[in-house]
Amino acid sequence: KRRRRRLQFELMESRRLLAVDITLDGGNNLAVSDITGNVNALTISTNLGTGRFEITDNLNAITTTIPGASGSGTNAVQIPFGSVNGTSVFVYAGFGNDSITFNSNFNPASNFQVAVYGNGGTDSVTWQSASSLRNVFVLESEAISIESNINTTEDQIWSNGVTTVGDVTLTGRDISFTGTVDAGADNLTVNSSGLVSIDSSLSSTDG
């Protein structure tokens, strides 16, 4: 008589999808990169109490091998300020329909610059930080929500679909908008010591 074998199935542990990698570039600047083209929901912040950058992605796990960093392989990574000797934060969003938020706690140092490259897909950037920076460049993004005053010692470039939330003041040297700007019923004030350029249109419902 032939014995019947019992089939056993083992449930595999769920794996977080690794889609974002954080590295230091050749100038020891912080580089946050989408490595798969998936949809990302990034929040970039700092914690002055612990002296760390805090970067989360609600949809994907984040990897990093930066010395002193913690949380690699999870949805939240912390990187010591002391491990980043450069003065730039670069975000390369890749080809998904991504959202990137710089929240109200983002405050690296006034000599820092931020550059966001939306790349492909339909990307949205939300800026909630009122910290003083050197430059802010938000490029190749389809929707930008500015929700705080922004002060830069040098330049600002804002790409497509800028909307402001509440009364907003932008202060810097050269300030450029390469797409539409919609202030709604609120006030948008631009204080420039250099040039202000709007390549598309400015609209407001504030009489």
Side-chain angles (χ1 to χ4, degrees):
K1 188 177 180 179
R2 181 179 289 178
R3 289 186 181 177
R4 291 186 178 178
R5 282 190 167 177
R6 242 180 175 179
L7 294 177
Q8 291 184 334
F9 297 92
E10 183 179 351
L11 293 176
M12 300 297 292
E13 179 188 359
S14 63
R15 299 283 199 269
R16 291 185 177 90
L17 189 63
L18 303 178
V20 177
D21 191 38
I22 303 176
T23 58
L24 298 175
D25 68 8
N28 284 313
N29 300 300
L30 195 66
V32 181
S33 305
D34 175 11
I35 55 176
T36 63
N38 288 334
V39 175
N40 301 309
L42 287 165
T43 298
I44 300 174
S45 182
T46 56
N47 186 323
L48 299 183
T50 62
R52 290 174 177 263
F53 292 94
E54 296 183 340
I55 301 165
T56 63
D57 186 338
N58 291 334
L59 300 179
N60 306 286
I62 304 170
T63 57
T64 185
T65 57
I66 295 175
S70 59
S72 181
T74 73
N75 295 93
V77 167
Q78 300 81 38
I79 298 165
F81 291 158
S83 297
V84 182
N85 294 324
T87 57
S88 297
V89 175
F90 297 114
V91 179
Y92 304 99
F95 292 97
N97 298 330
D98 307 305
S99 67
I100 301 119
T101 299
F102 291 84
N103 71 13
S104 59
N105 292 322
F106 179 73
N107 186 15
S110 60
N111 64 332
F112 262 75
Q113 69 173 2
V114 172
V116 179
Y117 299 90
N119 301 124
T122 301
D123 304 307
S124 63
V125 175
T126 301
W127 193 278
Q128 300 170 337
S129 169
S131 64
S132 295
L133 297 165
R134 188 169 89 252
N135 295 299
V136 176
F137 303 134
V138 179
L139 309 172
E140 302 168 354
S141 296
E142 283 65 45
I144 302 170
S145 176
I146 302 176
E147 302 178 5
S148 66
N149 297 331
I150 300 172
N151 180 47
T152 56
T153 55
E154 296 180 12
D155 303 331
Q156 300 176 30
I157 300 176
W158 304 94
S159 63
N160 305 322
V162 172
T163 59
T164 58
V165 178
D167 294 340
V168 167
T169 299
L170 305 181
T171 302
R173 186 176 60 189
D174 294 344
I175 300 177
S176 174
F177 302 92
T178 61
T180 58
V181 182
D182 184 0
D186 301 308
N187 296 312
L188 171 61
T189 303
V190 179
N191 295 325
S192 168
S193 61
L195 299 174
V196 176
S197 63
I198 301 176
D199 291 346
S200 186
S201 63
L202 172 64
S203 63
S204 173
T205 59
D206 187 0

